[in-house]
Amino acid sequence: MSNLSPNAQWMQRDFNVLWHPCTQMKDHEVLPIIPIRRAQGVYLEDFEGNRYLDAISSWWTTLFGHCHPYINERVKQQVDQLEHVMLAGFSHQPVIELSERLVMLTPPGLERVFYADNGSSSIEVALKMSLHYWRNHGQSKKNRFATIRNGYHGETIGTMSVGDIALYTDTYKALLFDCFKVPSPDCYYRAEGQDWASYSQHMFEPMEELLATHHHEIAAVILEPLVQGAAGMRMYHPIYLKRLREACDRYGVHLIVDEIAVGMGRTGKLFACEHAGISPDFMVLSKGLTGGYLPLAAVLTTETIYQAFYDDYEKMNAFLHSHTYTGNPLACAAALATLDLFEQQDVLGNNQLLAQHMHDATRHLHDHPHVGEVRQTGMILAIEMVKEKASKTPFHWKERRGLKVFNYALSQGALLRPLGNVIYFMPPYCIEPQQIDQLSAIATAGIELAVQT
């Protein structure tokens, strides 16, 4: 192996022992694994000095860029003081301070914080809390959940059950519980000339009908607010969330918002549900909560829900759910540093300028004959490649057109991992306008290459 280049040596060692996530490993017989040695700002660097502009924030987590000096220092200080202690019967300063700040920052009414150690686990927490709440109130028949089509909430059994991405769920149908699912308000399918608000308003009708008919057996509705990430960054109008909050109140059903990907400033506000001016019964946060440093997830809920579990032990009403690394001090320190940066800088204001630049830099693609739509919500922009523009006929998934864009982008020093035939930008907030222009040029050239027959 000594005659191989540094990258090739690490690639071979990796291929000999690792099994990578969300990957057909046979692809790597021809598609090299890229070993990363270091990272700084928006760039990843391999063992031979090649740099890649991280346009997707390493799976939507790295808010302020890699190896941010402020977050680095906060974690370093914490590791010398307390690395971990179980959160059952014990506590520590970082988790208390983080909880206080999250309660202060999130929409009104969210007053209690329960921690998990990843997004999927935190969704499971919210589902269990909702069902358990109704049980504690003597309504054990409210034991089902409702959601919208094409949603994604993780890849554990419960999260796949309330998800609707066939690629991730079909194989495991025998393991999944039944869930009510109504059509998505995804505005990609609106009629020509129809605005987002009217389409999303119209698409609420199936949810209204479902809740009216089945509210007595539904514990909660769960959805991703405004942007359905794994579905291809499909987007809808905040009016849907407003209508849903009103209906959940009317029919006595909990509302769970999955802000794992869209929270922490991604949509133009700190939390996506703020665009609708609503407070959910459960808000789930992860990914960018720690600035992309360490796994941590938080489930925020109301005092009313908390009090339903607060009782004498003998009543057996407690929420006996746990994760070993719940509220880990190092992860909490990274999260506190992340929140500090939001306070110290006009992050949301700067993101508005960057989002406008992303819009302007990709404006030319709206008329591309193989682009069905360029859509954007805040710092999330998606370009959907299609075979035929007028009908929005997609390329067959087996053609893997998005993969061609991915490979081309890597050759040009950019990480643009697609969602099927959807190319998207979800960069760190420290990206510069000229780097956005560079990504646009790379994506445009990559799409031109990918759509060739």
Side-chain angles (χ1 to χ4, degrees):
M1 192 180 292
S2 59
N3 61 333
L4 297 176
S5 69
N7 276 352
Q9 289 184 44
W10 286 108
M11 290 176 194
Q12 188 58 56
R13 289 174 64 178
D14 175 293
F15 197 64
N16 288 343
V17 293
L18 264 71
W19 190 343
H20 287 261
C22 202
T23 298
Q24 171 48 260
M25 291 300 295
K26 187 175 173 60
D27 281 352
H28 288 306
E29 291 182 4
V30 294
L31 180 66
I33 297 164
I34 300 174
I36 298 300
R37 176 174 55 176
R38 61 165 64 98
Q40 185 68 51
V42 298
Y43 289 103
L44 303 166
E45 183 180 318
D46 68 21
F47 282 78
E48 295 173 10
N50 301 306
R51 296 203 304 169
Y52 307 90
L53 203 165
D54 186 356
I56 64 165
S57 298
S58 288
W59 262 349
W60 322 343
T61 63
T62 309
L63 298 190
F64 294 105
H66 296 277
C67 291
H68 192 284
Y70 183 80
I71 305 177
N72 284 1
E73 185 58 32
R74 188 70 181 262
V75 174
K76 288 175 183 177
Q77 291 174 2
Q78 185 60 47
V79 79
D80 286 333
Q81 186 169 336
L82 174 66
E83 87 297 347
H84 184 62
V85 64
M86 67 177 182
L87 211 58
F90 292 84
S91 192
H92 52 83
Q93 181 178 341
V95 78
I96 295 169
E97 292 181 350
L98 178 60
S99 302
E100 290 171 341
R101 292 177 70 176
L102 288 176
V103 167
M104 180 180 65
L105 290 169
T106 50
L110 298 173
E111 299 175 353
R112 294 286 175 171
V113 191
F114 191 99
Y115 290 94
D117 46 23
N118 64 78
S120 295
S121 296
S122 57
I123 294 292
E124 300 272 1
V125 167
L127 296 174
K128 289 176 64 176
M129 273 187 180
S130 176
L131 182 147
H132 200 162
Y133 169 90
W134 295 114
R135 177 185 177 277
N136 283 354
H137 276 282
Q139 299 188 58
S140 58
K141 290 183 178 180
K142 290 175 74 70
N143 58 11
R144 299 184 67 184
F145 297 93
T147 189
I148 58 177
R149 291 285 180 187
N150 297 323
Y152 175 88
H153 303 285
E155 293 168 43
T156 54
I157 301 303
T159 57
M160 285 193 297
S161 296
V162 296
D164 190 51
I165 305 292
L167 179 65
Y168 303 114
T169 61
D170 276 3
T171 302
Y172 311 105
K173 279 185 176 179
L175 299 174
L176 309 184
F177 59 75
D178 191 30
C179 179
F180 291 112
K181 295 174 183 177
V182 300
S184 169
D186 168 14
C187 289
Y188 183 65
Y189 295 108
R190 70 194 186 281
E192 186 174 354
Q194 186 176 20
D195 61 67
W196 283 31
S198 63
Y199 183 78
S200 296
Q201 178 98 315
H202 169 69
M203 291 306 296
F204 186 73
E205 293 175 8
M207 180 65 81
E208 175 77 38
E209 182 179 346
L210 173 68
L211 292 175
T213 306
H214 293 282
H215 61 89
H216 61 283
E217 56 183 312
I218 297 175
V221 176
I222 179 172
L223 80 172
E224 301 156 275
L226 302 188
V227 182
Q228 294 183 285
M233 301 300 171
R234 293 292 180 83
M235 303 176 184
Y236 60 93
H237 193 273
I239 189 63
Y240 191 93
L241 296 176
K242 185 175 178 62
R243 291 284 307 276
L244 181 58
R245 175 70 278 180
E246 293 168 351
C248 286
D249 287 342
R250 190 162 61 251
Y251 293 113
V253 171
H254 290 148
L255 175 57
I256 303 170
V257 293
D258 176 352
E259 295 249 6
I260 292 168
V262 297
M264 309 305 296
R266 276 291 171 195
T267 63
K269 293 185 181 292
L270 194 56
F271 305 107
C273 66
E274 292 182 83
H275 290 276
I278 66 164
S279 293
D281 300 292
F282 299 90
M283 175 184 282
V284 184
L285 303 173
S286 191
K287 288 192 181 291
L289 178 60
T290 65
Y293 270 65
L294 289 160
L296 181 71
V299 180
L300 286 102
T301 192
T302 67
E303 186 68 19
T304 298
I305 290 171
Y306 172 80
Q307 287 297 329
F309 297 85
Y310 194 90
D311 210 336
D312 295 330
Y313 183 83
E314 292 76 12
K315 298 285 188 66
M316 295 301 289
N317 285 338
F319 188 62
L320 301 179
H321 180 105
S322 62
H323 294 279
T324 303
Y325 286 98
T326 291
N328 173 262
L330 300 178
C332 289
L336 285 166
T338 299
L339 295 181
D340 285 347
L341 292 175
F342 276 99
E343 286 189 3
Q344 295 166 7
Q345 306 168 13
D346 183 15
V347 176
L348 298 180
N350 187 59
N351 281 2
Q352 290 177 5
L353 299 176
L354 291 172
Q356 183 62 50
H357 197 91
M358 288 167 62
H359 174 272
D360 295 342
T362 55
R363 189 193 305 270
H364 63 283
L365 287 170
H366 286 265
D367 296 324
H368 192 286
H370 290 289
V371 171
E373 183 177 58
V374 181
R375 52 185 173 268
Q376 184 176 7
T377 298
M379 288 289 286
I380 307 170
L381 184 142
I383 306 158
E384 182 134 357
M385 294 190 298
V386 293
K387 184 175 182 179
E388 204 280 315
K389 187 179 185 72
S391 63
K392 295 184 176 178
T393 303
F395 287 109
H396 196 284
W397 65 269
K398 289 185 179 180
E399 296 174 5
R400 305 184 77 177
R401 303 278 179 153
L403 183 62
K404 295 179 181 179
V405 180
F406 172 70
N407 287 334
Y408 175 78
L410 287 178
S411 74
Q412 301 301 305
L415 169 55
L416 284 171
R417 183 182 172 95
L419 291 160
N421 291 320
V422 176
I423 311 304
Y424 68 94
F425 301 166
M426 202 169 175
Y429 302 161
C430 59
I431 195 168
E432 298 288 341
Q434 64 269 25
Q435 293 166 336
I436 293 172
D437 294 338
Q438 177 189 356
L439 285 178
S440 175
I442 291 171
T444 301
I447 289 169
E448 290 288 353
L449 178 68
V451 300
Q452 294 174 8
T453 56

